[in-house]
Structure formats: structure tokens, C-alpha cells
Amino acid sequence: MSLDPRRKAALPDTPLARRLGDALVRVRGRASAGADLARITWFRVGGPAELMIRPVDVDDLAIVLAAKPADVPLTVIGVGSNLLVRDGGIPGITVRLGRGFAEIEAEDGRFIRAGAAALDANVAKVARDHGIAGLEFLTGVPGTMGGALRMNAGAYGREIKDVLITAEALDPSGRLHTLRPEDMDLSYRHCGVPEDWVFVAATLKGEPGDPQAIAARLDEIRAQREDSQPIRTRTGGSTFANPEGHSAWKLVDAAGCRGLTIGGAQVSEKHTNFLINTGTATAADLEALGEEVRRRVKETSGVELRWEIRRVGVPADHPDAITAADTSETGDDA
């Protein structure tokens, strides 16, 4: 494959980009240095990405993984729903999966194949349209299929491991693997697949059902979420996993944390397992508030809450903090 000198000239000229060399030229997707991540996270906070790459397909992503130096960290993000990016940004390579990973297909009236960037709610809608029942819970899971696989996400009594047939993932060398649930060590909000493997697709199983009944269940779940969760605020979904035998929100409430604030961050008055950016919060405010909640719950109940929100990047005062944002990008739209 000949290298396009025009693309090479247009690529970010940073030490990290230069380390990737000609591999970055072969990548067809967009590449940018200092990309503003606060624009795309649901919390609307966080520093920039040192180098963001948006591969157009699995082959593109494989090039990135194979070329990445072993000492360079890799972070994969989707729509930024259950994610807190720290104020110093994300050193290394940030991969954002886009349209090329968002396809959803129904198969044989019982199965759904979805790319890792497919919205969980859209998977539920496609299942509804094809009369496939059993996947309605996904309309209550914010984010994408890749994130759902990574944390064995669930809601309303079901989770990914209950409906998963196979997952597809690239290993650090860029090789594609097909994984069965028994290969993945799935448990409550946990997946044992190594963090440096990147999910690219999944096949889920349902069962034949009445589209109208499925639609009614989707409407019911959406109404329940609207009534009980602060979904129209700047939030990141459920903050803490439910400890065995407990509801996280009840422990937080019993610890007196409802409405608690640090800076511009607040524990939701509507649902105490949600943190909110009231408009001026930093990532440091949100993380500090979450840690204060954990401290108070431990003090009052003896239970140690585990973060469900994924926290990535470095604080603003970290030596590796990324200081400049650059929204310019090169390459094809991913």
C-alpha cells in the first residue's frame, strides 16, 4: 500500500504521532492531537486526549493496535456515558469507536449482532422491530455495546451475560478473537477480558415475541427511568455498583449524602446513586464527591462502595497532564 504524502503532511506532528510512524498514515480514520473530551462525555468535564484516533472499521483499529508501542497507554471510549475523564486529560492513544462499529442486524428471528459502538437503546429498538424479546433491558442501559460488554452491564433484572452468545475482540497485536461467555469471566459489573483487548462486536440471543408487547415493555422501562433517575442532567449514570445484599442508593441516602455538594458537583436529590455536574463542576469535584460519599457510607454502614463509573486519565497537576486542546482532525469520518 502506497503512503499518501498529503495525509502524512496533515497528520498531527507530535512525539507520539511520530512514534506511530507510517502506521498512522495507513489508518483511514480521523486522528487529532489534544482533542477536547469534555465535549463528548455526558458529565461535560475532563481534559483533552493526547492523541485521539477514530478508526473506520476493524481493519483500521487493528493497524492502530499493532503499531502502538508497548509503553503507550490505550484508552477506548464510546459515547462517554459512564465515564469520568480527569482534568489532566488522557495520555497516550485514545480510540473512539464510531459509525463503522455501530451496525445492528437481526438474524433468524432470535439473534442480534451489534457493533461495539451501537447504542444499547438502539439494540433494544432493533430487537423490538424484529419481534425479538428478552433484550428490552438494554433500553435502560446508557452507552454502547462495547461498554456493556466491558462491565457486564445490566438493568431491570437482566445483564449482558444472560443474553450473550459471543463477543468479538482485538488483542493488543490486532488479532481478532471470538469469545464465548465462559471465556470472559463475567459476573456482576465485571468482565475478566484483559483491559488492553478491544471489543468490536457481540451477538446476543433473544426469543420470538410480539412486537407490540416488546414496545410496551420498552415504554415502561423508559417511563420508570424518567420518573426515578436524573437523566436530563449532566450525569454519568449509576455511580456505584450495588454491594451484595444492598442497594447503593439506600446506603448513600442513609449516610446523609442526598444533595451533598463539592464545588459544582452534587449527589442527585432525585436518585442518590447519581452524581451531577450542576454546571461548574470539574472532574476533580466529581471524583472528590464520589470519594466523600464512599467514606461516609463506609463510616455509617461498614460497606465499601465500588465505583461503577469508569475513571480515566490524570489529574490537572499530574506531570503527564495534557495542556492544550486542538479540535482539528485528519482522515475519514468514522
Short mmCIF file of all heavy atoms in Angstrom, two decimals, residues 232-258:
data_model
loop_
_atom_site.label_atom_id
_atom_site.label_comp_id
_atom_site.label_asym_id
_atom_site.label_seq_id
_atom_site.Cartn_x
_atom_site.Cartn_y
_atom_site.Cartn_z
N ARG A 232 -31.95 13.85 32.58
CA ARG A 232 -31.85 15.06 31.77
C ARG A 232 -30.84 16.06 32.36
O ARG A 232 -30.85 17.23 32.02
CB ARG A 232 -33.22 15.72 31.62
CG ARG A 232 -34.24 14.78 30.99
CD ARG A 232 -35.46 15.47 30.46
NE ARG A 232 -36.40 14.51 29.93
CZ ARG A 232 -36.31 13.93 28.73
NH1 ARG A 232 -35.29 14.24 27.94
NH2 ARG A 232 -37.22 13.06 28.33
N THR A 233 -29.96 15.57 33.21
CA THR A 233 -28.90 16.39 33.77
C THR A 233 -27.55 15.90 33.25
O THR A 233 -27.46 14.87 32.58
CB THR A 233 -28.90 16.33 35.31
OG1 THR A 233 -28.65 14.97 35.72
CG2 THR A 233 -30.24 16.77 35.87
N ARG A 234 -26.51 16.64 33.60
CA ARG A 234 -25.15 16.21 33.24
C ARG A 234 -24.69 15.19 34.26
O ARG A 234 -24.17 15.54 35.32
CB ARG A 234 -24.20 17.42 33.22
CG ARG A 234 -24.54 18.45 32.15
CD ARG A 234 -23.55 19.61 32.19
NE ARG A 234 -23.84 20.61 31.17
CZ ARG A 234 -23.11 21.69 30.95
NH1 ARG A 234 -22.05 21.93 31.72
NH2 ARG A 234 -23.43 22.55 30.01
N THR A 235 -24.90 13.94 33.93
CA THR A 235 -24.58 12.87 34.87
C THR A 235 -23.89 11.74 34.12
O THR A 235 -23.76 11.79 32.89
CB THR A 235 -25.86 12.36 35.57
OG1 THR A 235 -25.50 11.42 36.58
CG2 THR A 235 -26.83 11.73 34.60
N GLY A 236 -23.45 10.74 34.85
CA GLY A 236 -22.74 9.62 34.24
C GLY A 236 -23.37 8.29 34.52
O GLY A 236 -22.70 7.27 34.48
N GLY A 237 -24.67 8.27 34.82
CA GLY A 237 -25.31 7.01 35.15
C GLY A 237 -25.02 6.60 36.58
O GLY A 237 -24.54 7.39 37.40
N SER A 238 -25.29 5.35 36.88
CA SER A 238 -25.08 4.85 38.25
C SER A 238 -23.62 5.00 38.65
O SER A 238 -22.73 4.55 37.93
CB SER A 238 -25.50 3.38 38.35
OG SER A 238 -26.88 3.23 38.13
N THR A 239 -23.40 5.59 39.81
CA THR A 239 -22.04 5.89 40.24
C THR A 239 -21.36 4.68 40.85
O THR A 239 -20.19 4.40 40.59
CB THR A 239 -22.04 7.04 41.26
OG1 THR A 239 -22.72 8.16 40.69
CG2 THR A 239 -20.62 7.43 41.63
N PHE A 240 -22.08 3.94 41.69
CA PHE A 240 -21.51 2.81 42.43
C PHE A 240 -22.27 1.53 42.13
O PHE A 240 -23.50 1.54 41.97
CB PHE A 240 -21.53 3.09 43.93
CG PHE A 240 -20.86 4.37 44.33
CD1 PHE A 240 -21.61 5.46 44.78
CD2 PHE A 240 -19.48 4.52 44.22
CE1 PHE A 240 -21.01 6.65 45.13
CE2 PHE A 240 -18.87 5.72 44.57
CZ PHE A 240 -19.63 6.78 45.02
N ALA A 241 -21.54 0.42 42.08
CA ALA A 241 -22.18 -0.88 41.94
C ALA A 241 -22.90 -1.25 43.24
O ALA A 241 -22.47 -0.83 44.33
CB ALA A 241 -21.13 -1.93 41.61
N ASN A 242 -23.98 -1.97 43.13
CA ASN A 242 -24.70 -2.40 44.33
C ASN A 242 -23.89 -3.48 45.06
O ASN A 242 -23.60 -4.54 44.49
CB ASN A 242 -26.07 -2.98 43.95
CG ASN A 242 -27.04 -1.92 43.49
OD1 ASN A 242 -27.05 -0.81 44.01
ND2 ASN A 242 -27.85 -2.26 42.51
N PRO A 243 -23.51 -3.25 46.31
CA PRO A 243 -22.84 -4.30 47.08
C PRO A 243 -23.78 -5.48 47.29
O PRO A 243 -25.01 -5.31 47.29
CB PRO A 243 -22.51 -3.61 48.41
CG PRO A 243 -22.66 -2.15 48.17
CD PRO A 243 -23.70 -2.01 47.10
N GLU A 244 -23.23 -6.64 47.47
CA GLU A 244 -24.06 -7.83 47.65
C GLU A 244 -24.99 -7.64 48.85
O GLU A 244 -24.56 -7.30 49.96
CB GLU A 244 -23.19 -9.07 47.87
CG GLU A 244 -23.97 -10.36 47.90
CD GLU A 244 -23.08 -11.58 47.94
OE1 GLU A 244 -21.84 -11.43 47.88
OE2 GLU A 244 -23.64 -12.70 48.05
N GLY A 245 -26.28 -7.82 48.60
CA GLY A 245 -27.26 -7.70 49.65
C GLY A 245 -27.70 -6.29 49.96
O GLY A 245 -28.48 -6.07 50.90
N HIS A 246 -27.22 -5.31 49.19
CA HIS A 246 -27.55 -3.90 49.46
C HIS A 246 -27.88 -3.18 48.16
O HIS A 246 -27.48 -3.60 47.08
CB HIS A 246 -26.37 -3.18 50.12
CG HIS A 246 -25.97 -3.72 51.45
ND1 HIS A 246 -26.59 -3.35 52.62
CD2 HIS A 246 -25.00 -4.60 51.80
CE1 HIS A 246 -26.03 -3.98 53.64
NE2 HIS A 246 -25.06 -4.75 53.16
N SER A 247 -28.59 -2.07 48.30
CA SER A 247 -28.76 -1.10 47.20
C SER A 247 -27.86 0.08 47.48
O SER A 247 -27.92 0.67 48.58
CB SER A 247 -30.21 -0.63 47.11
OG SER A 247 -31.07 -1.68 46.74
N ALA A 248 -27.03 0.43 46.50
CA ALA A 248 -26.08 1.52 46.73
C ALA A 248 -26.80 2.81 47.10
O ALA A 248 -26.37 3.53 48.01
CB ALA A 248 -25.22 1.73 45.48
N TRP A 249 -27.92 3.10 46.43
CA TRP A 249 -28.58 4.38 46.70
C TRP A 249 -29.10 4.46 48.13
O TRP A 249 -29.08 5.53 48.75
CB TRP A 249 -29.71 4.63 45.70
CG TRP A 249 -30.98 3.88 45.93
CD1 TRP A 249 -31.36 2.70 45.38
CD2 TRP A 249 -32.06 4.28 46.79
NE1 TRP A 249 -32.61 2.32 45.82
CE2 TRP A 249 -33.06 3.27 46.70
CE3 TRP A 249 -32.29 5.38 47.63
CZ2 TRP A 249 -34.26 3.34 47.40
CZ3 TRP A 249 -33.48 5.44 48.34
CH2 TRP A 249 -34.46 4.44 48.23
N LYS A 250 -29.55 3.33 48.67
CA LYS A 250 -30.05 3.32 50.05
C LYS A 250 -28.92 3.58 51.04
O LYS A 250 -29.10 4.31 52.03
CB LYS A 250 -30.74 2.00 50.35
CG LYS A 250 -32.05 1.80 49.61
CD LYS A 250 -32.71 0.48 50.00
CE LYS A 250 -34.04 0.29 49.26
NZ LYS A 250 -34.67 -1.00 49.61
N LEU A 251 -27.75 2.99 50.77
CA LEU A 251 -26.60 3.22 51.64
C LEU A 251 -26.17 4.68 51.59
O LEU A 251 -25.84 5.29 52.62
CB LEU A 251 -25.44 2.32 51.23
CG LEU A 251 -25.64 0.81 51.42
CD1 LEU A 251 -24.51 0.04 50.76
CD2 LEU A 251 -25.72 0.47 52.91
N VAL A 252 -26.17 5.26 50.39
CA VAL A 252 -25.78 6.66 50.23
C VAL A 252 -26.77 7.57 50.94
O VAL A 252 -26.40 8.53 51.64
CB VAL A 252 -25.68 7.02 48.73
CG1 VAL A 252 -25.41 8.53 48.55
CG2 VAL A 252 -24.58 6.21 48.05
N ASP A 253 -28.05 7.26 50.78
CA ASP A 253 -29.09 8.07 51.42
C ASP A 253 -28.98 7.98 52.94
O ASP A 253 -29.06 8.99 53.65
CB ASP A 253 -30.46 7.59 50.94
CG ASP A 253 -31.51 8.68 50.99
OD1 ASP A 253 -31.14 9.86 51.07
OD2 ASP A 253 -32.71 8.34 50.95
N ALA A 254 -28.78 6.75 53.44
CA ALA A 254 -28.69 6.55 54.89
C ALA A 254 -27.46 7.24 55.48
O ALA A 254 -27.46 7.59 56.67
CB ALA A 254 -28.64 5.06 55.20
N ALA A 255 -26.45 7.46 54.66
CA ALA A 255 -25.24 8.16 55.12
C ALA A 255 -25.41 9.67 55.08
O ALA A 255 -24.46 10.41 55.38
CB ALA A 255 -24.04 7.73 54.27
N GLY A 256 -26.59 10.16 54.72
CA GLY A 256 -26.86 11.59 54.72
C GLY A 256 -26.29 12.34 53.55
O GLY A 256 -26.04 13.55 53.64
N CYS A 257 -26.12 11.66 52.42
CA CYS A 257 -25.44 12.28 51.28
C CYS A 257 -26.37 12.86 50.22
O CYS A 257 -25.89 13.45 49.25
CB CYS A 257 -24.49 11.27 50.62
SG CYS A 257 -23.15 10.70 51.68
N ARG A 258 -27.66 12.68 50.37
CA ARG A 258 -28.59 13.24 49.37
C ARG A 258 -28.39 14.75 49.27
O ARG A 258 -28.48 15.47 50.27
CB ARG A 258 -30.03 12.91 49.74
CG ARG A 258 -31.06 13.35 48.69
CD ARG A 258 -32.47 13.01 49.11
NE ARG A 258 -32.69 11.57 49.17
CZ ARG A 258 -33.16 10.84 48.16
NH1 ARG A 258 -33.45 11.43 47.00
NH2 ARG A 258 -33.34 9.54 48.30
#
